[in-house]
Amino acid sequence: GGITVHNGYSFLDLASLEGRWALLRDGLAVESGSFPAKSAAPGEDAHFDMPCAVGDDAEYLLNVSFVLREDCCWADAGFAVAQAQFALNDYERRLPAHTAGAGAQTVSIDPQTGLPADMQLAWFRYGKNDKFTDGGIYPSHPEVLSFEENTEGGVRKVSVRGELVIDAPKTVRMPYEIRYDIYPDGVVDIAASFTKTDPIIRRMGLRLELPDSYEQVQWYGRGPHENYSDRMRGADLGIWTSTVTDMGEEEHYVLAQSRGNREDTRWITLSDGTSGLRVEAEGHLAFTAMHYTDEAICSQLHDFELPSVRADRTYLYLDAAQQGLGCAVCGDIPLRQYMIPVGEPLSLRVRLYGFR
C-alpha cells in the first residue's frame, strides 16, 4: 500500500518538502516515520510506499503531513504546508457488555421528569449563522408519557417515553425516549432517541450538571479546536486535552453565541485531577463542556460580558446531533446533509461511570 501525492504548486518541486506519517491505534500513535525525498514537478504525482499494517481489533488512522525542509521568508523549517488524515479500516465501536461488581450505588430517576436531578434535555443552540430561524431563549420542560421500571439480574432498568415541551410563541414538542440500565457499581448505560419537529430545534441531546472542580478534559474525537458537522475537515481525530475554562472561552466571538462543540467523540473524561466522570459512546456523539449553559451565553450581547453569567458548575452536553453552522451571516443555511432531519429519530448511546 501507499499514498499518491499530487503537486499542486505552480513552480516548486515536491523535493522542497519532507513527508511525515504517523499510525494511530484508537487515537494513540503506535508507529511513525518520514518519507524519502522524491522529486515531482508542478502538476505531477509522486507515490510513497507505506510500511504499516493494521488489524480489525481497533480503529486505525493514518496522519500524513508535508513540511518545509528549510527555513524560508514566511515560515521556519518543519512548518506543515499540507496534512490529511485517513481511516484505514471500517471499525464499528460498540460498548462492551458490562459485568457489574459489588456495590450499593444508585441513581435516582424522577418519574415526573424521567431524568436524574443533575440532567436535562438539551435543545437550544444559537449562533449568528442561525439567524434564519427563531433564536429565542424559551423555557422548556419534559412531559412524561410513560415510565416503566424493573430489575433484571441486579440491573435496574428504567424506560421513559415523553415529549420536551418548548414554550415558544407556538408551542413545540420534541418526542424522546430514554432507557437507563443502572448497575449496582455505579455504571449507567443510557440509550436515548430524539425526534426534531420544528426548525427551532438545532441540537438534540442531554446536559449534565457536574461539579465546578471537574476542570480537566480529555477526549478521543475531533479536535483540538471546536468543530461542527460542516466545520470538521480541519479537526483530526485524536486524543486531546484541554480545560473546561478554555473550551468555553477560547473562542472570543465579538457577539456572544453558542460555541465549543466537538464532533465524532469516542470517549470523554472530566476530572479534578483525582476523581471524575468518564463517558464512552457507541455510535455518534458530539459534546461540549463549559462553565456556561448555551442559554446563559446567548442572554448576553458581547463576549466580554460572559464572566457575569459564568456558573460555579461544569455543564457537559452530550448530543445525538447538532445542526451544522452554515454561513447565514453572509449567505445561506447549512446544506441539507448538515441539517437535523425533521421527523427522523436520532439515537444517542453512552456509558457513564465515575472514577478515582
Side-chain angles (χ1 to χ4, degrees):
I3 64 168
T4 298
V5 178
H6 178 74
N7 185 356
Y9 280 121
S10 298
F11 305 102
L12 297 178
D13 192 285
L14 276 186
S16 64
L17 303 177
E18 175 188 341
R20 299 175 179 175
W21 62 270
L23 176 67
L24 278 59
R25 181 184 185 276
D26 282 341
L28 294 173
V30 293
E31 292 184 52
S32 62
S34 59
F35 301 118
K38 280 194 177 183
S39 176
E44 294 184 351
D45 296 339
H47 183 81
F48 298 88
D49 293 327
M50 291 297 305
C52 54
V54 303
D56 58 4
D57 60 327
E59 180 177 38
Y60 287 90
L61 302 165
L62 178 66
N63 288 350
V64 177
S65 64
F66 282 83
V67 304
L68 293 175
R69 288 188 178 277
E70 300 177 353
D71 293 346
C72 66
C73 64
W74 56 273
D76 296 332
F79 180 84
V81 297
Q83 61 188 44
Q85 185 175 76
F86 304 94
L88 299 183
N89 62 349
D90 187 15
Y91 183 70
E92 184 178 3
R93 186 170 300 276
R94 303 188 67 85
L95 293 175
H98 179 66
T99 302
Q105 299 190 46
T106 185
V107 174
S108 178
I109 309 298
D110 186 346
Q112 301 301 312
T113 65
L115 300 164
D118 56 0
M119 181 183 292
Q120 293 185 10
L121 298 169
W123 66 273
F124 180 81
R125 195 284 309 270
Y126 187 74
K128 300 311 172 185
N129 281 339
D130 296 322
K131 67 178 185 178
F132 288 145
T133 54
D134 185 351
I137 303 173
Y138 302 117
S140 62
H141 64 277
E143 189 174 283
V144 174
L145 302 178
S146 68
F147 184 95
E148 300 178 3
E149 182 175 358
N150 61 76
T151 300
E152 297 179 13
V155 180
R156 187 162 146 251
K157 296 179 178 289
V158 179
S159 296
V160 180
R161 182 174 60 85
E163 293 179 335
L164 179 67
V165 181
I166 303 169
D167 296 321
K170 179 182 177 181
T171 301
V172 175
R173 293 177 175 268
M174 183 180 80
Y176 68 90
E177 295 183 9
I178 305 177
R179 188 184 75 245
Y180 306 90
D181 289 348
I182 304 169
Y183 297 86
D185 58 359
V187 173
V188 179
D189 285 351
I190 299 176
S193 70
F194 313 90
T195 303
K196 177 176 178 175
T197 56
D198 190 273
I200 198 175
I201 299 171
R202 293 177 291 272
R203 84 177 328 147
M204 298 193 300
L206 304 170
R207 189 183 78 199
L208 280 65
E209 187 174 333
L210 304 171
D212 181 62
S213 59
Y214 283 15
E215 173 69 11
Q216 300 175 25
V217 189
Q218 187 175 57
W219 75 98
Y220 177 22
R222 294 197 178 274
H225 49 269
E226 71 169 9
N227 50 88
Y228 294 81
S229 60
D230 58 351
R231 299 283 197 285
M232 63 183 192
R233 287 288 295 276
D236 284 345
L237 291 166
I239 296 177
W240 310 102
T241 59
S242 185
T243 64
V244 174
T245 297
D246 284 347
M247 296 186 82
E249 299 177 10
E250 65 186 355
E251 305 293 343
H252 291 285
Y253 298 110
V254 174
L255 298 177
Q257 56 192 292
S258 294
R259 61 193 64 197
N261 186 60
R262 267 70 173 179
E263 288 286 333
D264 291 341
T265 304
R266 279 65 167 151
W267 54 257
I268 317 156
T269 63
L270 287 93
S271 76
D272 58 10
T274 302
S275 61
L277 174 73
R278 182 177 174 93
V279 180
E280 298 177 355
E282 178 177 306
H284 179 262
L285 169 65
F287 90 98
T288 309
M290 300 185 294
H291 293 300
Y292 309 87
T293 65
D294 279 60
E295 290 86 346
I297 290 174
C298 295
S299 71
Q300 305 301 300
L301 181 59
H302 298 107
D303 179 81
F304 67 82
E305 297 173 289
L306 293 185
S308 66
V309 293
R310 184 193 188 280
D312 293 328
R313 307 292 288 168
T314 291
Y315 296 102
L316 175 63
Y317 288 84
L318 303 174
D319 291 324
Q322 257 209 66
Q323 184 169 292
L325 297 180
C327 55
V329 167
C330 57
D332 209 343
I333 63 175
L335 297 175
R336 179 177 298 179
Q337 62 265 37
Y338 304 120
M339 299 288 284
I340 299 176
V342 174
E344 179 180 325
L346 297 182
S347 62
L348 172 71
R349 186 174 183 190
V350 292
R351 172 171 292 164
L352 284 66
Y353 56 93
F355 64 88
R356 292 185 179 276

